[in-house]
């Protein structure tokens, strides 16, 4: 059996910085509230009409990841793209990446697991590599939230949190079983699907024809905006994060003390700090960048992992843990010997 290793990483965020002060001009919010509750100081918003779509940003991150892996785009055997904000309702952005990078007609899979999307995508890539089916898999997480948020006081509990950006990784086959991705752990609890949800357009709940009819009749449609029961999500997040990190450590015969670097999904700095305390980790052992980017959902882990790696905080031989929790509910972890 083979093992998969991450050999290349890349990220991309739009240049346009939006501060908490900028948001306070659009809605009744303020820097103090946002920083105190979430840790966020600023986030990036793609400029409307620019090439920074979900696919566009994903492609930019992917190019860097492929270059840093030292392989050619034609060495890619499979593409996995995680996002909750695809350019089109269908097809998903995986095929758009294949086209944009002019990669031969390899398979492209779209993963719809929101904040856990990158963890799920890495797990999928890992399985394909372990079985020997593919050698090099490109995994992308990218989100364009800013064009779809309710930028009024009504939506402030959700909209101040999210930002745009992309990250990517190249996984390759290795025969060294002591290094690379040791295990992945995936979970879901669909009974809480409506606690963090975007219902429209949805063929099950919100038919396009209904939306058009409401529009014609001047009925305001808020079903296009994400809704979140923040406190409930928060309470579940801290429990599930802890559980799934522990599950990964236990499966590999590791202890809390063995963690060199934890890269949590950047949902809320308070969640990361809670996990840090629970696992007895120092500030150097948990990577956070939510202060600068907000929550970029499926992109948050690959952006953070890339930055940590570029800053020399993820080194050969380190035990690196990735973990996420979010809409679905879905959650998961990845245990890596770097
Ligand atoms: O990545 C996916 C997973 N997502 C998460 O893990 C997010 C988990 N949840 C959270 O991070 C937090 O619940 C939030 C940051 C979203 C909200 O923080 P909270 O401490 O749970 O606040 P809250 O929603 O209970 O709101 C408290 C008060 C309310 O006012 P009243 O009812 O007490 O008068 C809100 O209306 O704060 C008000 N509020 C705001 N005030 C200023 C809500 N949003 C804002 C805002 N600015 N942006």
């Amino acid at each position: 059996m083979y093992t998969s290793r991450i050999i290349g990483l890349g990220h991309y965020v739009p240049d346009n910085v939006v501060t908490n002060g900028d948001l306070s001009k659009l809605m009744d919010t303020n820097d103090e509230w946002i920083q105190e509750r979430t840790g966020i100081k600023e986030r990036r918003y793609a400029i409307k009409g620019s090439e920074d779509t979900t696919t566009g940003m994903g492609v930019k991150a992917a190019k860097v990841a492929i270059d840093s892996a030292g392989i050619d785009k034609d060495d890619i055997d499979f593409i996995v793209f995680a996002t909750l904000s695809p350019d089109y309702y269908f097809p998903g952005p995986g095929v758009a990446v294949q086209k944009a990078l002019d990669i031969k007609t390899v398979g492209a899979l779209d993963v719809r697991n929101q904040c856990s999307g990158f963890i799920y995508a890495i797990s999928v890539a890992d399985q394909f590599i372990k079985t020997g089916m593919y050698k090099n898999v490109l995994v992308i997480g990218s989100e364009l939230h800013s064009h779809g948020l309710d930028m009024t006081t009504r939506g402030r509990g959700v909209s101040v949190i999210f930002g745009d950006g992309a990250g990517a990784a190249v996984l390759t086959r290795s025969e060294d079983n002591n290094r690379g991705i040791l295990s992945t752990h995936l979970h879901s609890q669909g009974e809480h699907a409506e606690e963090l949800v975007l219902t429209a357009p949805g063929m099950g709940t919100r038919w396009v024809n209904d939306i058009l009819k409401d529009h014609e009749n001047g009925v305001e449609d808020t079903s296009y905006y994400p809704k979140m029961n923040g406190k409930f999500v928060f309470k579940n997040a801290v429990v599930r994060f802890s559980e799934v990190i522990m599950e990964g450590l236990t499966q590999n015969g590791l202890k809390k003390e063995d963690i060199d670097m934890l890269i949590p999904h950047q949902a809320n700095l308070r969640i990361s700090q809670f996990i840090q305390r629970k696992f007895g980790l120092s500030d150097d052992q948990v990577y956070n960048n939510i202060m600068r980017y907000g929550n970029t959902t499926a992109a948050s882990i690959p952006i953070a992992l890339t930055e940590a790696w570029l800053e020399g905080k993820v080194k050969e031989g380190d035990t690196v843990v990735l973990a996420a929790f979010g809409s679905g509910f879905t959650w998961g972890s990845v245990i890596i010997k770097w």
Side-chain angles (χ1 to χ4, degrees):
M1 184 124 130
Y2 300 111
T3 304
S4 60
R5 274 180 55 204
I6 295 175
I7 55 162
L9 286 164
H11 72 312
Y12 173 81
V13 290
D15 292 335
N16 180 32
V17 176
V18 177
T19 64
N20 295 340
D22 293 333
L23 293 183
S24 72
K25 291 174 197 143
L26 303 172
M27 61 187 86
D28 180 13
T29 190
N30 57 78
D31 181 51
E32 197 191 350
W33 190 97
I34 300 173
Q35 283 210 51
E36 198 182 298
R37 308 273 177 145
T38 71
I40 300 166
K41 295 183 179 171
E42 58 190 39
R43 72 287 291 142
R44 306 295 179 97
Y45 282 180
I47 301 288
K48 276 195 181 137
S50 74
E51 60 188 17
D52 287 344
T53 61
T54 294
T55 301
M57 292 189 286
V59 166
K60 286 179 184 174
K63 281 183 179 164
V64 180
I66 293 168
D67 278 354
S68 73
I71 63 166
D72 188 81
K73 58 159 177 83
D74 289 321
D75 297 325
I76 301 288
D77 301 311
F78 195 64
I79 300 164
V80 191
F81 200 124
T83 188
L84 63 64
S85 50
D87 293 0
Y88 301 146
Y89 191 81
F90 74 84
V95 296
V97 169
Q98 179 269 330
K99 177 187 172 220
L101 292 179
D102 191 23
I103 294 175
K104 57 187 189 296
T105 56
V106 301
L109 176 75
D110 298 290
V111 166
R112 296 290 310 269
N113 288 76
Q114 301 71 245
C115 302
S116 313
F118 191 75
I119 299 285
Y120 270 73
I122 285 279
S123 182
V124 168
D126 183 45
Q127 312 314 313
F128 278 130
I129 290 173
K130 270 186 189 154
T131 57
M133 184 154 172
Y134 297 127
K135 186 164 181 237
N136 296 309
V137 181
L138 173 63
V139 179
I140 301 169
S142 179
E143 304 285 2
L144 198 163
H145 287 302
S146 60
H147 300 177
L149 298 171
D150 182 355
M151 291 296 185
T152 68
T153 299
R154 180 183 56 198
R156 65 184 179 175
V158 175
S159 32
V160 300
I161 297 167
F162 293 98
D164 304 337
V170 173
L171 275 67
T172 197
R173 179 193 296 168
S174 159
E175 293 185 20
D176 178 355
N177 288 334
N178 298 315
R179 272 185 72 189
I181 294 179
L182 303 180
S183 61
T184 63
H185 308 269
L186 308 178
H187 294 278
S188 71
Q189 193 175 16
E191 68 179 286
H192 298 314
E194 274 76 36
E195 305 293 349
L196 177 45
V197 67
L198 175 60
T199 56
M203 300 308 167
T205 51
R206 192 78 180 118
W207 294 85
V208 174
N209 289 348
D210 295 338
I211 293 165
L212 289 175
K213 211 178 292 162
D214 277 355
H215 187 69
E216 275 165 24
N217 296 332
V219 176
E220 193 188 16
D221 186 358
T222 58
S223 56
Y224 278 104
Y225 295 129
K227 311 262 183 318
M228 173 165 70
N229 180 353
K231 283 212 189 309
F232 187 73
V233 175
F234 192 106
K235 280 185 197 150
N236 279 266
V238 290
V239 173
R240 298 308 193 183
F241 260 108
S242 306
E243 276 177 13
V244 80
I245 293 169
M246 225 33 241
E247 179 186 349
L249 293 175
T250 307
Q251 175 158 330
N252 293 287
L254 297 167
K255 297 188 294 298
K256 291 193 268 195
E257 298 72 36
D258 295 315
I259 299 175
D260 293 302
M261 176 55 78
L262 169 65
I263 313 255
H265 162 53
Q266 304 290 296
N268 185 321
L269 189 60
R270 308 296 160 237
I271 295 178
S272 295
Q273 289 168 335
F274 179 92
I275 304 302
Q276 177 176 340
R277 279 195 300 277
K278 181 139 193 195
F279 283 81
L281 302 171
S282 69
D283 289 349
D284 291 340
Q285 291 172 301
V286 183
Y287 195 86
N288 289 304
N289 59 12
I290 190 169
M291 305 74 89
R292 289 179 279 126
Y293 303 134
N295 179 345
T296 57
T297 311
S300 92
I301 290 179
I303 294 174
L305 180 59
T306 305
E307 288 195 338
W309 180 64
L310 290 173
E311 290 168 24
K313 293 179 175 167
V314 170
K315 301 176 294 298
E316 206 170 309
D318 281 355
T319 297
V320 179
V321 177
L322 316 179
F325 174 88
S327 163
F329 290 154
T330 59
W331 63 101
S333 65
V334 179
I335 313 291
I336 307 170
K337 191 76 172 168
W338 204 266

